[in-house]
Amino acid sequence: MTAVQIEVTEEAGDMQIPAQKQKSVTSGLEFLQIPQLPLNNIGYPQAQEWIEHRKANVRPWSLFLNTSNIRPPPSLPRLTKRIMKNIEYFQSNYLFVFIGLVIYCLVTSPLLLLTVGVSLGICYKVSQLNARQELMIFNHKLTLAQVYSLVGICSLPIFYLVGAGAALFWVLGASCFLITLHAAFYNIDSVLCPGEDELNSLVMQEI
């Protein structure tokens, strides 16, 4: 019998999985990943970074909705300072309150929701077309921002017919009212400077 020797070489102890096997392993876990908004693909990576930054700075909603911190402002100067502090501290929460009101307005207005969906769909198709070839009008190269602006201008008459103006004013009014109401009555000093209220009450008692 002839002895057959098989040499096994190892380079620094590394083992590489075949590409086909790696693909099968990762594809089985793709459904566990949270989908991201495709803003990078449509030419707005800064918008994606801004949204991620806002999400990271959201204060706990249990703190934001804590009714034990609801107290009337002691004076008008303190009211102004309180509103400014609350807006600075809860700015991401207030942004999501505004987004929630926008979503509520769209859900309760089917025609407006359909119009917004069609406009966003056109913008998405245009971004895919721009990725394959440059968009030209009268021998002039258009950027994605210019194309999106053109789509928005062409959609203005339709938005007007479906009542987008009234919905916009309602969202702005409701957002300003709710944000101002929360910022005026939420005692932010009890969060940023705990124990200050008790100290002030003791000083007032001694006086």
Side-chain angles (χ1 to χ4, degrees):
M1 296 180 62
T2 304
V4 179
Q5 296 181 354
I6 301 176
E7 296 181 358
V8 179
T9 59
E10 295 182 359
E11 297 181 359
D14 295 335
M15 298 181 62
Q16 297 183 352
I17 302 176
Q20 184 176 2
K21 188 175 182 179
Q22 284 185 343
K23 184 177 181 181
S24 62
V25 172
T26 55
S27 61
L29 299 177
E30 288 177 353
F31 69 95
L32 296 177
Q33 299 178 358
I34 299 176
Q36 298 287 336
L37 293 176
L39 296 178
N40 291 329
N41 299 332
I42 62 176
Y44 286 96
Q46 295 84 1
Q48 181 69 39
E49 295 177 359
W50 184 81
I51 291 176
E52 294 298 330
H53 179 70
R54 291 294 97 197
K55 289 170 61 178
N57 290 334
V58 173
R59 307 297 180 180
W61 290 101
S62 58
L63 177 66
F64 181 76
L65 300 174
N66 189 4
T67 56
S68 61
N69 292 330
I70 301 297
R71 297 179 185 177
S75 61
L76 185 60
R78 292 285 298 274
L79 172 62
T80 305
K81 293 181 180 179
R82 176 184 289 186
I83 292 176
M84 297 302 296
K85 286 183 179 180
N86 277 312
I87 292 177
E88 181 180 1
Y89 189 77
F90 291 114
Q91 54 182 320
S92 296
N93 298 75
Y94 291 144
L95 175 63
F96 280 96
V97 169
F98 173 77
I99 295 175
L101 291 174
V102 171
I103 294 175
Y104 172 79
C105 187
L106 291 177
V107 171
T108 55
S109 303
L111 291 178
L112 181 59
L113 179 61
L114 179 62
T115 305
V116 172
V118 171
S119 299
L120 293 178
I122 293 174
C123 291
Y124 179 71
K125 291 296 183 181
V126 168
S127 66
Q128 288 184 329
L129 182 60
N130 183 76
R132 293 192 297 267
Q133 62 182 4
E134 297 180 350
L135 300 177
M136 306 286 293
I137 293 183
F138 299 111
N139 296 325
H140 179 70
K141 179 182 177 182
L142 296 178
T143 62
L144 276 178
Q146 293 174 341
V147 176
Y148 294 157
S149 301
L150 184 61
V151 172
I153 293 174
C154 295
S155 302
L156 284 179
I158 303 177
F159 279 112
Y160 176 78
L161 293 176
V162 298
L168 177 62
F169 281 108
W170 181 88
V171 170
L172 291 176
S175 300
C176 292
F177 174 76
L178 293 178
I179 292 173
T180 304
L181 185 65
H182 181 273
F185 286 92
Y186 192 91
N187 186 18
I188 188 62
D189 293 331
S190 62
V191 178
L192 299 178
C193 304
E196 184 177 355
D197 293 338
E198 290 78 4
L199 181 60
N200 292 334
S201 61
L202 291 176
V203 172
M204 293 298 296
Q205 290 177 2
E206 291 179 358
I207 295 176

